């Protein structure tokens, strides 16, 4: 009789069922995995498409001489095919990132197992176990989120890529696309950024440095932490020796610490210019993907000179800005502040400040266009317009003067009368015609610069005068190319005439006078210069704008909080900065004479050597408060005033060479006070106010001293 088999125990039946279920699930999972891999493989771009797809748009900005000013966005070097990639670079990368690269299928089970073990040992994820193929898939298609869903998609893509591309193609894509820090993508970009040469010339030490960057580009970047980069390179060399890629002696002979790094481009004041110019690309071109080469107008020598001039002359606690335009509007230099690193606010293009008497440019342009000439006369006298009574800072009035004299000495009452005569709306229209883009009020005080303006707009206006009345539009980009194809080329518009050439010539005449004998004397540079100063109430803003030899430069100085600055005046620090900059800016340019020769006020036509002989007669010294003192500094009786001696301004001034006077900053603490000489006899004579019956004075003695320029501050 046959014997029946003993029945299996329940737990064995359950185990058998479990095993079958697991096998079924594994088969289903494998099937699903294979299906997912082949679906992903079918959807992958081709090798050529992956080569050409960017990780973001790179913009490289060049100065006028071709020097790279700054690279913005991702930087790409030359694409190196597999056989042109240095073998030592391939070996270093594989050794430190994926030593079983040539044996796995895209995902390394050993690496994954090691990563899991470390996770349990340390309680957190430290190693990802990612292969080179996985890193490539993550860089091209995914992101760096540490989530299992993203990791699973990464595995699928890595397996799919290994099915579609060869190992050589995967490594070629990786080495040309992976991020190495500092904005550099690919080994060629990294080599050029850090070492200044292409990747085809990499040495063992340089290859070790670059290979070590992938783990943490921001931590190991040579430009961020040179020692960390060297230490990481030593790890790469040791791993290469352990894997027998190089010998122990080769690893010992390598010296990453001796690798010479390429200098980082200076990006201080240059960034004011690039921050202003680059946003204009959106209006000039439509290309948003291809790497761009942007060629600009910036002259690096002028930029360095501008930076130095602003830093050297801006008063303590104050800021400064400078814009220099070529005759066609090309921006040759732009400084938006004393230090870009500490403040990116561009005071040359963004700040809106009152221009003071620099705004008189538009008042006199309107008067000249209305038919007046530099020889036309106006009476400098007290005036009230709609309840507003401007006055000259000296509290003096010169009687009948020419426009040339009034402009040279920046007489406020004359500017007010001219504005009333031609119409304040006409003056505002003239300002807008010449490029002032901010709101211009039409109150009577507007003639003294009470409307806020931008430095670049004011510089543009002066440049248009220098351009014989033809509009000048500032521009910073000359051309743009993408993949060596020019997609934009600037064309200068010279067709818009703002005023007749003779009006511009007459205005240039006045501007020359202001520099030669008026408020802008500090701006003289040994060749023809035309310009105008500007100082606002309480010395909150100082301006100088002028042109010579085809370059027009505007300078502004003041505090960002608009607080007063003792001694700040357009004819002082701003004019000095203008002079310091322009001496270098036009040094290699030929001297250009203006079409209209400078004509000085009558009492200035004598030879210079006759102007300063002898001692002053009937002069008075004053202390810091403007009170009279004798030669020894002792106070004079209060009744000294009214005896031919007029109370001078309380403003401190100091004498400088050639008999001129300029404002000086107040100094804390007790110090010897500078003295001011005022020759009332001379003032009376040149303004025609000598009293009848008075004996005439020796003209040689009367004409020795040129008057200190009238202040330009608006009074309301």
């Amino acid at each position: 009789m046959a014997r029946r088999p003993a029945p299996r125990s329940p737990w064995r039946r359950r185990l058998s069922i479990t095993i079958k279920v697991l096998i079924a699930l594994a088969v289903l999972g494998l099937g699903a995995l294979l299906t997912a891999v082949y679906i992903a493989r079918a959807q992958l771009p081709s090798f050529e498409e992956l080569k050409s797809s960017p990780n973001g748009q790179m913009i490289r900005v060049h100065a006028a001489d071709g020097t790279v000013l700054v690279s913005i966005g991702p930087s790409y070097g030359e694409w190196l095919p597999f056989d042109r990639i240095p073998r030592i670079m391939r070996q270093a990368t594989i050794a430190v990132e994926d030593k079983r690269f040539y044996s796995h299928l895209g995902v390394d089970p050993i690496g994954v197992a090691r990563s899991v073990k470390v996770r349990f040992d340390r309680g957190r994820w430290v190693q990802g176990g990612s292969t080179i193929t996985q890193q490539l898939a993550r860089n091209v298609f995914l992101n760096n989120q540490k989530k299992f869903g993203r990791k699973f998609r990464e595995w699928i893509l890595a397996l799919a890529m290994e099915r579609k591309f060869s190992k050589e193609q995967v490594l070629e894509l990786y080495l040309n696309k992976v991020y190495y820090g500092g904005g550099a993508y690919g080994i060629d970009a990294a080599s050029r950024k850090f070492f200044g040469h292409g990747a085809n010339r990499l040495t063992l030490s340089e290859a070790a440095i670059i290979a070590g960057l992938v783990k943490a580009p921001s931590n190991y970047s040579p430009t961020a932490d040179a020692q960390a980069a060297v230490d990481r390179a030593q790890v790469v060399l040791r791993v290469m020796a352990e894997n027998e890629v190089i010998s122990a002696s080769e690893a010992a002979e390598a010296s990453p610490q001796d690798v010479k790094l390429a200098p980082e481009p200076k990006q201080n004041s240059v960034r004011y210019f690039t921050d202003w110019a680059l946003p204009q690309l959106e209006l000039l071109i439509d290309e948003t993907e291809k790497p761009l080469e942007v060629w600009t107008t910036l002259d690096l020598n002028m930029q360095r000179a501008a930076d130095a001039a602003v830093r050297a002359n801006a008063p303590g606690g104050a800021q400064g800005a400078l814009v220099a335009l070529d005759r066609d509007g090309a921006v040759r230099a732009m400084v938006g502040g004393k230090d870009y690193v500490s403040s990116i606010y561009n005071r040359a293009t963004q700040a809106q400040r009152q221009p003071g008497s620099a705004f008189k440019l538009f008042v006199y342009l309107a008067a000249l266009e209305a038919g007046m000439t530099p020889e036309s006369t106006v009476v400098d006298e007290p005036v009230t317009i709609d309840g507003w009574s401007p006055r000259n800072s000296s509290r003096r009035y010169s009687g009948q003067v020419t426009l040339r004299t009034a402009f040279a000495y920046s007489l406020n009452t004359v500017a007010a009368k001219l504005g009333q005569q031609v119409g304040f709306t006409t003056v505002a229209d003239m300002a807008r015609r010449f490029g002032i883009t901010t709101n211009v009020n039409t109150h009577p005080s507007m003639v003294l610069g009470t409307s806020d303006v931008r430095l670049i707009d004011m510089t543009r206006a002066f440049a248009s005068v220098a351009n014989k009345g033809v509009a000048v539009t500032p521009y910073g980009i000359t051309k743009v190319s993408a993949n060596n194809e020019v997609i934009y080329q600037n064309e200068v518009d010279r067709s818009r005439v703002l005023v007749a050439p003779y009006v511009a010539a007459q205005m240039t005449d006045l501007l020359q006078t202001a520099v030669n004998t008026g408020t802008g004397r500090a701006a003289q540079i040994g060749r023809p210069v035309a310009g105008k100063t500007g100082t606002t109430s309480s010395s909150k803003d100082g301006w100088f704008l002028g042109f010579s030899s085809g370059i027009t430069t505007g300078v502004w100085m003041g505090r960002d909080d608009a607080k007063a600055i003792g001694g700040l005046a357009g004819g002082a620090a701003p004019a000095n900065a203008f002079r310091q900059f322009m001496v270098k800016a036009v040094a290699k340019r030929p001297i250009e004479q203006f079409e209209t020769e400078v004509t000085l006020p009558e009492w200035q036509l004598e030879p210079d050597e006759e102007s300063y002989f002898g001692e002053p007669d009937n002069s008075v010294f004053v202390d810091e408060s403007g009170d009279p003192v004798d030669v020894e500094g002792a106070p004079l009786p209060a009744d000294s005033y009214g005896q031919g001696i007029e109370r001078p301004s309380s403003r401190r001034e100091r004498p400088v060479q050639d008999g001129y006077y300029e404002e000086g900053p107040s100094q804390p603490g007790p110090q010897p006070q500078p003295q001011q000489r005022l020759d009332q006899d001379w003032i009376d004579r040149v303004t025609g106010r000598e009293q009848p019956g008075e004996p005439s004075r020796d003209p040689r003695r009367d004409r020795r001293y040129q008057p200190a320029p009238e202040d330009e501050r608006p009074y309301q």
Side-chain angles (χ1 to χ4, degrees):
M1 188 173 194
R3 189 175 178 182
R4 294 181 179 180
R8 288 184 296 179
S9 61
W11 70 268
R12 287 186 177 180
R13 287 198 301 271
R14 288 195 296 270
L15 177 61
S16 176
I17 293 172
T18 301
I19 292 174
K20 291 178 181 179
V21 170
L22 290 175
I23 293 174
L25 290 175
V27 171
L28 290 174
L30 180 60
L33 177 63
L34 292 175
T35 301
V37 168
Y38 279 94
I39 291 175
R41 179 183 182 280
Q43 296 176 344
L44 284 175
S46 67
F47 181 73
E48 294 299 324
E49 289 174 326
L50 285 177
K51 282 178 59 176
S52 62
S53 63
N55 293 356
Q57 189 173 35
M58 181 272 291
I59 302 175
R60 195 159 58 169
V61 186
H62 300 263
D65 63 359
T67 302
V68 176
L69 298 176
V70 62
S71 292
I72 298 175
S75 174
Y76 302 98
E78 180 185 359
W79 186 278
L80 296 180
F82 182 83
D83 55 2
R84 287 187 55 200
I85 298 173
R87 184 175 61 87
I88 198 67
M89 186 70 244
R90 302 197 305 262
Q91 292 174 332
T93 300
I94 292 173
V96 74
E97 290 296 324
D98 187 4
K99 64 181 180 180
R100 284 178 290 275
F101 173 70
Y102 283 106
S103 60
H104 62 64
L105 300 177
V107 177
D108 183 7
I110 298 176
V112 173
R114 184 180 64 250
S115 176
V116 173
K117 180 179 182 301
V118 172
R119 166 66 178 83
F120 283 106
D121 290 343
R122 301 192 183 182
R124 57 189 178 90
W125 292 105
V126 178
Q127 296 181 355
S130 296
T131 64
I132 285 176
T133 316
Q134 287 176 251
Q135 294 180 47
L136 177 62
R138 181 169 64 246
N139 290 337
V140 175
F141 301 110
L142 303 172
N143 53 47
N144 289 318
Q145 289 182 342
K146 294 183 177 181
K147 295 182 178 180
F148 284 107
R150 193 272 300 165
K151 196 69 175 178
F152 181 74
R153 292 194 299 273
E154 179 185 301
W155 290 343
I156 298 298
L157 287 170
L159 292 169
M161 293 180 75
E162 292 270 357
R163 305 287 73 74
K164 186 163 187 172
F165 307 125
S166 66
K167 290 287 188 180
E168 288 74 13
Q169 288 177 318
V170 170
L171 191 58
E172 178 182 332
L173 288 169
Y174 179 84
L175 291 174
N176 281 284
K177 280 186 166 291
V178 72
Y179 182 60
Y180 288 103
Y185 285 83
I187 57 172
D188 193 65
S191 179
R192 294 179 188 278
K193 176 176 178 59
F194 300 128
F195 312 129
H197 60 74
N200 58 333
R201 295 168 46 197
L202 286 171
T203 65
L204 174 59
S205 296
E206 292 171 341
I209 291 175
I210 291 180
L213 295 176
V214 177
K215 181 178 181 181
S218 59
N219 294 337
Y220 299 127
S221 171
T223 55
D225 190 337
Q227 188 57 49
V230 169
D231 294 343
R232 177 62 178 167
Q234 294 289 5
V235 172
V236 175
L237 292 170
R238 185 177 68 251
V239 172
M240 293 177 71
E242 291 173 354
N243 293 334
E244 299 182 351
V245 174
I246 59 175
S247 64
S249 60
E250 287 177 318
E253 291 173 2
S255 53
Q257 65 275 8
D258 296 330
V259 172
K260 186 176 181 180
L261 299 177
E264 282 286 288
K266 296 181 179 180
Q267 297 180 4
N268 194 349
S269 66
V270 167
R271 290 300 301 273
Y272 287 119
F273 172 78
T274 56
D275 287 353
W276 168 75
L278 289 180
Q280 301 169 27
L281 287 174
E282 294 184 7
L283 303 176
L284 303 178
I285 60 174
D286 296 326
E287 180 59 59
T288 59
E289 293 184 352
K290 295 179 182 178
L292 301 179
E293 300 287 340
V294 180
W295 303 84
T296 71
T297 59
L298 196 74
D299 184 302
L300 285 177
N301 291 328
M302 290 192 193
Q303 182 69 19
R304 282 188 285 267
D307 203 21
V310 169
R311 292 188 183 207
N313 292 282
Q319 278 289 351
L322 183 151
V323 175
L325 305 180
D326 216 325
R327 63 179 84 247
D328 64 347
V331 177
R332 297 303 183 193
M334 177 181 287
V335 176
K338 287 162 57 172
D339 182 51
Y340 181 87
V341 175
S342 61
S343 172
I344 65 174
Y345 182 58
N346 192 338
R347 297 155 188 86
T349 62
Q350 295 175 283
Q352 299 182 27
R353 305 294 290 253
Q354 291 186 357
S357 286
F359 194 84
K360 291 176 184 175
L361 175 80
F362 309 115
V363 179
Y364 280 77
L365 279 170
L368 294 172
E369 189 175 59
M372 302 186 76
T373 71
E375 305 303 330
S376 299
T377 58
V378 180
V379 178
D380 176 22
E381 61 185 351
V383 60
T384 298
I385 306 172
D386 296 340
W388 173 64
S389 300
R391 66 189 181 197
N392 301 321
S393 176
S394 64
R395 282 46 167 195
R396 297 189 299 269
Y397 302 97
S398 303
Q400 185 167 287
V401 295
T402 64
L403 261 62
R404 177 179 290 107
T405 301
F407 189 82
Y409 296 105
S410 202
L411 301 181
N412 292 333
T413 56
V414 172
K417 295 178 77 172
L418 291 176
Q420 184 182 38
Q421 182 175 335
V422 301
F424 301 112
T425 301
T426 301
V427 175
D429 289 342
M430 182 65 72
R432 285 188 282 265
R433 189 194 309 178
F434 270 76
I436 300 302
T437 57
T438 49
N439 292 327
V440 179
N441 69 63
T442 54
H443 304 306
S445 62
M446 60 91 72
V447 298
L448 302 186
T450 57
S451 297
D452 290 339
V453 296
R454 297 185 179 92
L455 175 61
I456 192 169
D457 290 346
M458 289 294 293
T459 309
R460 171 187 186 178
F462 277 76
S464 298
V465 173
N467 200 32
K468 303 178 182 179
V470 177
V472 169
T473 302
Y475 71 96
I477 297 174
T478 56
K479 70 175 181 179
V480 181
S481 62
N483 293 338
N484 297 322
E485 177 185 355
V486 176
I487 60 176
Y488 168 78
Q489 184 79 48
N490 180 70
E491 295 183 4
V492 177
D493 180 8
R494 296 181 172 89
S495 63
R496 195 158 63 93
V497 178
L498 304 178
V499 292
Y502 77 87
V503 173
Q506 290 176 334
M507 191 70 241
T508 301
D509 182 359
L510 299 181
L511 291 167
Q512 287 183 88
T513 305
V515 173
N516 278 271
T517 189
T519 59
R521 292 191 303 268
Q524 296 174 5
I525 61 173
R527 61 171 69 195
V529 177
K532 185 71 182 77
T533 57
T535 309
T536 61
S537 59
S538 303
S539 298
K540 295 177 182 178
D541 302 89
W543 300 69
F544 188 86
L545 301 107
F547 48 87
S548 178
S549 304
I551 294 293
T552 301
T553 298
V555 179
W556 167 87
M557 291 180 182
R559 288 176 59 100
D560 287 337
D561 58 10
K563 291 184 178 179
I565 301 172
L568 178 63
N576 290 330
F578 173 91
R579 182 188 66 246
Q580 180 178 330
F581 167 74
M582 287 292 283
V583 164
K584 295 182 179 180
V586 302
K588 296 182 180 179
R589 294 185 171 217
I591 296 176
E592 296 182 14
Q593 301 293 336
F594 298 121
E595 288 189 359
T596 172
E597 293 185 1
V598 63
T599 304
L600 305 181
E602 289 184 2
W603 57 86
Q604 297 292 345
L605 294 177
E606 60 191 6
D608 288 345
E609 61 269 24
E610 295 183 8
S611 298
Y612 317 115
F613 292 158
E615 291 296 323
D617 55 11
N618 194 24
S619 62
V620 62
F621 295 103
V622 298
D623 63 15
E624 183 181 17
S625 300
D627 296 322
V629 296
D630 62 20
V631 175
E632 302 300 326
L636 291 177
D639 60 1
S640 296
Y641 293 107
Q643 302 178 2
I645 299 175
E646 194 165 342
R647 179 180 292 274
S649 167
S650 62
R651 199 165 33 90
R652 289 187 59 192
E653 298 183 344
R654 63 175 185 271
V656 296
Q657 62 179 7
D658 295 339
Y660 299 142
Y661 296 89
E662 65 178 20
E663 297 182 0
S666 299
Q667 299 293 333
Q671 295 186 13
Q673 303 299 332
Q675 295 173 322
Q676 177 190 42
R677 297 181 178 183
L678 296 177
D679 192 334
Q680 186 63 33
D681 295 334
W682 182 90
I683 295 173
D684 289 342
R685 186 186 64 77
V686 300
T687 58
R689 290 190 291 151
E690 274 189 316
Q691 298 300 320
E694 282 192 348
S696 61
R697 302 178 178 86
D698 181 359
R700 284 177 58 89
R701 301 190 68 195
D702 281 340
R703 296 182 298 184
R704 289 168 309 199
Y705 289 88
Q706 301 183 25
E710 293 283 357
D711 194 11
E712 310 140 321
R713 302 177 178 85
Y715 288 83
Q716 300 181 17

